[in-house]
Amino acid sequence: MIHYRAGKNGICFAFSLRGSVLPKACLTAVPGALIAMLLHWFRTVYDFQAEMQAGALGVTILGGFWFIFGFLIVFRSQQAYSRWWEGGTLLMKLRGEWFNAFSNTLAFLDSGSDRKQEVLKFEHTLVRLYSLLYGSAIMQISEGGEKAFQFMDVDGMDVASLEYMKSAKDKPEIVLQWIQRLVYEAHESKVITAAPPLVARVFNQLGRGIVVLNDAKKINALPIPFPLAQMILMMLFLHWLITAVLVAASVDSFYWCGFISFTVVFSFWSIHLIGEELEQPFGDDANDLPIREMQREMNTSLREMLDMRARYPPRFEFNSGQHMMLRTNTVDIVSHVEMMYEASIYASESMATRKSTEDAASHMDSRTSGVAAGLPPAGGTL
């Protein structure tokens, strides 16, 4: 997917060719303009004016053709954009359901130190399976079945199970079953200590995610119906030819004839090509959804959740005199946290310096009092 900015003037991005349908539309519009100019030349040289006129009745009939043709072009473009938008929405929803299930599972783990190794093994097994789950889901719906996606390493997992998953028709369903069984066994062995109704939420979120995945698969498996796509393409070619003839017969200027024919054909073909670009959003084209980036972001989020600073809420030193008022501040939270962090470091260094100074002063006081009492200083004699 192309991330673009309008720029200062709001038009700079219009001249970018990456992901643009304009070059393809030109390949069709330029020959049409040349044919219109050639027909205009023949009309002028050999006086074919009368033979090329459509007449009032012909114009009325062609008006009905233009109406139906324009409606079908716009309808297909709208359907293509709806498919593209729905595909992106479903993938984000899928990520939300499965990431929330992962986060809930981590929150339910035993926090005791006596089972630390078991919990650690469960966490790292789970994070790899969730990476495999989301990646295999995206791989399944991608156009052409692309396989090169970013996964967390699965070294150490049972090779026979991975081989079975590789050959299965629906890989995400296999990984989903592994995760559900892993969570169930962890609950039975008390690695997960939450009550069963709470653990059931994890299974519900996993189940909702697989339903969302099947909705996304529908977009890839069910293209625009063939009769509709065929009819639109045939009408485009008819429009291309009729436009050249009508413009050559109606426009007196040789150059305006070519320009008008080019503009009309270019506009209709551009709209058609936009629909073709958007109707299959799960691929590697410039205008497709960034499915590889989504997988990388999922892996990053999963990895960050294993950090203890993400697993547990921050400590809060409550001061009733200061915090009961619930004051609000309008700040850039990132900059504000950086300032708090720097202030805490400065406070820690100041405290350490103060303690060192106090220890040195205390040591000097003890030596001074010892000398006053007639005791020799350390390492010396009176």
Side-chain angles (χ1 to χ4, degrees):
M1 187 174 68
I2 300 174
H3 299 277
Y4 64 92
R5 293 182 179 180
K8 293 182 179 180
N9 299 321
I11 61 173
C12 297
F13 72 95
F15 300 100
S16 174
L17 294 180
R18 179 173 175 263
S20 174
V21 300
L22 303 185
K24 294 180 182 178
C26 285
L27 291 177
T28 308
V30 169
L34 295 176
I35 291 175
M37 296 172 73
L38 181 63
L39 291 175
H40 186 279
W41 181 81
F42 271 104
R43 188 202 80 177
T44 304
V45 173
Y46 297 103
D47 194 18
F48 287 161
Q49 180 73 29
E51 289 80 359
M52 297 178 67
Q53 291 293 333
L57 180 61
V59 172
T60 303
I61 295 174
L62 285 175
F65 172 82
W66 302 139
F67 174 78
I68 296 174
F69 174 59
F71 170 78
L72 289 178
I73 287 287
V74 174
F75 172 76
R76 182 178 185 181
S77 297
Q78 289 177 339
Q79 292 298 310
Y81 179 72
S82 296
R83 289 163 61 91
W84 185 88
W85 184 260
E86 184 185 6
T89 302
L90 290 173
L91 285 185
M92 298 301 289
K93 187 176 181 180
L94 178 67
R95 183 193 188 282
E97 293 285 1
W98 283 347
F99 182 79
N100 201 21
F102 175 74
S103 177
N104 284 339
T105 307
L106 293 185
F108 298 154
L109 292 178
D110 185 1
S111 57
S113 58
D114 55 333
R115 311 197 68 174
K116 184 176 180 180
Q117 194 61 33
E118 281 185 79
V119 171
L120 190 63
K121 178 183 176 182
F122 173 81
E123 290 173 352
H124 281 266
T125 304
L126 189 69
V127 74
R128 284 162 172 78
L129 289 181
Y130 268 98
S131 174
L132 191 60
L133 176 64
Y134 192 70
S136 61
I138 292 181
M139 183 176 67
Q140 188 177 58
I141 63 176
S142 64
E143 189 176 355
E146 293 291 336
K147 298 185 173 104
F149 288 88
Q150 184 191 79
F151 296 96
M152 291 189 186
D153 71 275
V154 291
D155 294 340
M157 288 191 175
D158 179 46
V159 177
S161 298
L162 294 175
E163 181 67 22
Y164 176 76
M165 184 272 297
K166 179 183 74 72
S167 60
K169 180 181 178 182
D170 291 309
K171 298 175 180 59
E173 295 178 0
I174 303 298
V175 182
L176 176 69
Q177 177 60 27
W178 290 348
I179 293 175
Q180 291 181 138
R181 185 65 191 182
L182 181 69
V183 171
Y184 170 76
E185 291 177 351
H187 185 261
E188 288 293 302
S189 62
K190 304 303 180 184
V191 171
I192 294 178
T193 57
L198 294 177
V199 180
R201 294 181 55 187
V202 174
F203 293 99
N204 291 336
Q205 289 161 342
L206 288 169
R208 287 197 299 267
I210 206 69
V211 172
V212 172
L213 174 60
N214 280 281
D215 285 339
K217 287 165 62 176
K218 172 191 66 179
I219 296 176
N220 197 33
L222 303 177
I224 296 292
F226 170 76
L228 178 61
Q230 182 188 44
M231 186 62 185
I232 291 175
L233 194 58
M234 294 301 297
M235 294 181 76
L236 275 168
F237 282 117
L238 285 174
H239 172 265
W240 177 82
L241 180 61
I242 294 172
T243 298
V245 174
L246 286 181
V247 172
S250 305
V251 179
D252 293 331
S253 171
F254 177 77
Y255 296 104
W256 274 107
C257 170
F259 178 75
I260 293 174
S261 175
F262 173 86
T263 302
V264 173
V265 173
F266 177 82
S267 301
F268 277 93
W269 275 85
S270 293
I271 297 173
H272 169 70
L273 292 170
I274 289 172
E276 285 192 339
E277 280 284 317
L278 298 182
E279 67 185 20
Q280 292 291 352
F282 305 124
D284 285 331
D285 294 337
N287 294 302
D288 289 335
L289 295 171
I291 53 178
R292 298 181 188 280
E293 183 180 340
M294 289 180 178
Q295 171 66 1
R296 288 194 294 269
E297 289 178 353
M298 180 66 162
N299 287 334
T300 300
S301 298
L302 293 173
R303 191 180 297 112
E304 289 176 349
M305 282 300 297
L306 291 184
D307 194 297
M308 288 300 174
R309 292 168 293 182
R311 295 271 301 279
Y312 296 97
R315 293 189 305 273
F316 180 56
E317 297 177 3
F318 179 71
N319 185 324
S320 59
Q322 177 183 357
H323 296 125
M324 288 296 291
M325 298 178 63
L326 297 177
R327 293 178 301 173
T328 58
N329 296 315
T330 303
V331 296
D332 177 1
I333 189 63
V334 175
S335 301
H336 187 63
V337 170
E338 288 178 354
M339 290 175 59
M340 292 176 61
Y341 181 69
E342 291 174 359
S344 66
I345 292 178
Y346 178 76
S348 299
E349 291 176 349
S350 298
M351 186 178 296
T353 303
R354 190 182 306 115
K355 187 176 185 303
S356 176
T357 303
E358 290 175 353
D359 290 344
S362 175
H363 182 64
M364 288 297 297
D365 289 343
S366 64
R367 293 184 60 182
T368 303
S369 61
V371 171
L375 298 175
T381 58
L382 286 175

